[in-house]
Amino acid sequence: MSGDAAGGVALVLAALVALVWANSPWQASYGSFWGFELMLGIDAFSVTEDLQHWVNDGLMVIFFFVVGLEIKRELVRGELRDPRASALPAVAAVGGVLVPALLFLAFTAGTEGAAGWGIPMATDIAFAVGVLALLGSRVPAGAKLLLLTVAIVDDIIAITVIAIFYSDSISALWLAAAVLGLGLVVLMRRLGITAIWAYVPVGLVVWLCTLESGVHATIAGVALALLTPAGRVGGRPVLDTLEHRLSPISAFAVVPLFAIANAGVVLAGDTLQAAATSPVALGIAVGLVVGKVVGVSGGIALMVRTGWGHLPEGVTTRHAVGVAALAGIGFTVSLFIAELAYADPALVETAKIGIFAGSLLAGLVGAAVLGLRRRRRGGGADGPSAGPGPGAVSGSPA
């Protein structure tokens, strides 16, 4: 099993653990365990959070740091380096953000649930790429490249939305201290300090200052990642080294812990019945499934038909629609934004049910579309020699 698929499986198993725990005879222990308060630090330099928030505000910094490293790599030497190559996935990602948000607001406008408009915007790379990995050779390599690039642009937008719209009241003093910490990182680079461990205490200070500033603490991870040199420092590829070391920790420890801490929803009959008619749950589910397909595939179609972009080699219209559906798997970041968007626990629970339903349906739709094999005119399975059919985009078979 590939690392991408294994990470997706680990996330699914963690979510199942949370759901079973929260719906078992020991469900009271779920809330009491994650609500246990823990203080770290000394006196004025201490932080007290419950365990759930230590995961969400602390450990998830590692997740966002890895995401930031991926973004930096793509900007410097990946698909996002070339404006012409990145134009199509960038427009597709924007469409995949705007349409779901608008559909969500169509359901929730004028209600307190409207604050969660950012929830259906997100794409869970681990889940989505894991589904692609499980489909194996039925999906061309270009489809994975397209999904990754769309998801990375989606991450850039989601991180910006979290920083601007889902942060608390801003403390200018603490924010200035965080910026000074980032400036110290730049200075250390200029002075030729290459030991990774030397940057760890500075990074912790930046995280603390960001947390106290009111900007969500995970943004510190992204900012530090973007300052990581993409080239060799002292003969060592720092960015690649960090990504290689931290990606498994993020995929197999941090994200599963986040899922266990946040996916424990009580699925009682009345809860499900209420969610089935809730504008919040319906808006999220429709946004993730319909919004992503319409937004992402619409953006791709616009770029291809205008000649401003082209699909990767071997990727057809069908693949593009399947990728757009998989982009609707918004599990991890959607849960993250739901916790930030709502103060009312009932709304958070309802939003989570919408996320589960929408992400599951989006994954099934994407897998079904990508798993199809078109039939030859003679009745056989579609093979390498099959020619382009009607409705193909840019000369590729549909």
Side-chain angles (χ1 to χ4, degrees):
M1 183 182 293
S2 71
D4 293 326
V9 170
L11 185 52
V12 171
L13 292 176
L16 289 175
V17 167
L19 287 172
V20 170
W21 186 0
N23 291 276
S24 72
W26 305 279
Q27 62 178 241
S29 67
Y30 181 86
S32 61
F33 178 81
W34 293 110
F36 177 79
E37 290 196 344
L38 177 66
M39 184 185 77
L40 294 180
I42 302 173
D43 297 330
F45 298 98
S46 65
V47 177
T48 302
E49 298 269 13
D50 60 41
L51 291 182
Q52 184 191 44
H53 282 90
W54 274 116
V55 172
N56 294 359
D57 298 342
L59 287 181
M60 282 296 282
V61 173
I62 298 174
F63 168 79
F64 280 96
F65 182 76
V66 172
V67 169
L69 292 176
E70 293 171 352
I71 292 171
K72 178 68 176 281
R73 171 168 46 78
E74 290 297 317
L75 287 171
V76 174
R77 56 176 187 262
E79 285 295 306
L80 298 180
R81 177 185 59 179
D82 180 2
R84 289 181 59 84
S86 64
L88 183 142
V91 172
V94 171
V97 164
L98 292 178
V99 178
L102 291 173
L103 283 175
F104 178 83
L105 288 173
F107 280 86
T108 61
T111 71
E112 60 179 335
W117 58 270
I119 297 171
M121 292 170 32
T123 296
D124 191 306
I125 297 180
F127 256 147
V129 176
V131 173
L132 276 186
L134 292 173
L135 289 171
S137 61
R138 283 175 288 181
V139 181
K144 179 179 179 180
L145 176 64
L146 177 62
L147 177 61
L148 283 172
T149 314
V150 168
I152 286 172
V153 177
D154 184 292
D155 280 339
I156 295 172
I157 298 172
I159 289 165
T160 305
V161 167
I162 290 170
I164 297 175
F165 298 101
Y166 292 111
S167 292
D168 299 325
S169 56
I170 306 300
S171 166
L173 184 61
W174 281 107
L175 187 59
V179 172
L180 285 175
L182 294 174
L184 179 58
V185 170
V186 174
L187 178 61
M188 291 170 67
R189 283 182 54 186
R190 295 286 178 87
L191 293 175
I193 298 175
T194 58
I196 293 175
W197 64 265
Y199 292 85
V200 173
V202 181
L204 289 173
V205 170
V206 171
W207 169 81
L208 177 62
C209 293
T210 306
L211 176 68
E212 296 294 340
S213 75
V215 175
H216 199 272
T218 52
I219 301 302
V222 179
L224 290 166
L226 294 178
L227 291 177
T228 302
R232 289 182 173 270
V233 178
R236 181 172 52 174
V238 177
L239 189 149
D240 295 334
T241 300
L242 285 171
E243 196 171 1
H244 177 73
R245 291 179 181 177
L246 294 178
S247 289
I249 296 173
S250 174
F252 298 108
V254 173
V255 174
L257 264 176
F258 171 82
I260 295 174
N262 291 275
V265 179
V266 178
L267 300 178
D270 53 346
T271 304
L272 293 175
Q273 186 176 2
T277 57
S278 165
V280 169
L282 291 173
I284 291 170
V286 172
L288 288 173
V289 180
V290 178
K292 284 291 186 179
V293 170
V294 173
V296 173
S297 60
I300 291 172
L302 173 66
M303 297 300 288
V304 170
R305 292 185 183 279
T306 57
W308 295 340
H310 60 84
L311 290 169
E313 184 178 356
V315 176
T316 69
T317 304
R318 173 172 62 83
H319 295 134
V321 173
V323 164
L326 291 184
I329 304 175
F331 191 81
T332 302
V333 181
S334 291
L335 287 175
F336 189 80
I337 295 177
E339 291 285 347
L340 300 178
Y342 300 128
D344 183 354
L347 274 179
V348 175
E349 298 291 287
T350 300
K352 288 179 180 180
I353 293 174
I355 293 167
F356 294 159
S359 296
L360 178 60
L361 186 55
L364 292 174
V365 170
V369 171
L370 290 169
L372 289 174
R373 288 189 180 275
R374 208 183 64 178
R375 314 298 293 180
R376 289 181 182 172
R377 291 180 181 176
D382 189 14
S385 60
V393 174
S394 198
S396 299

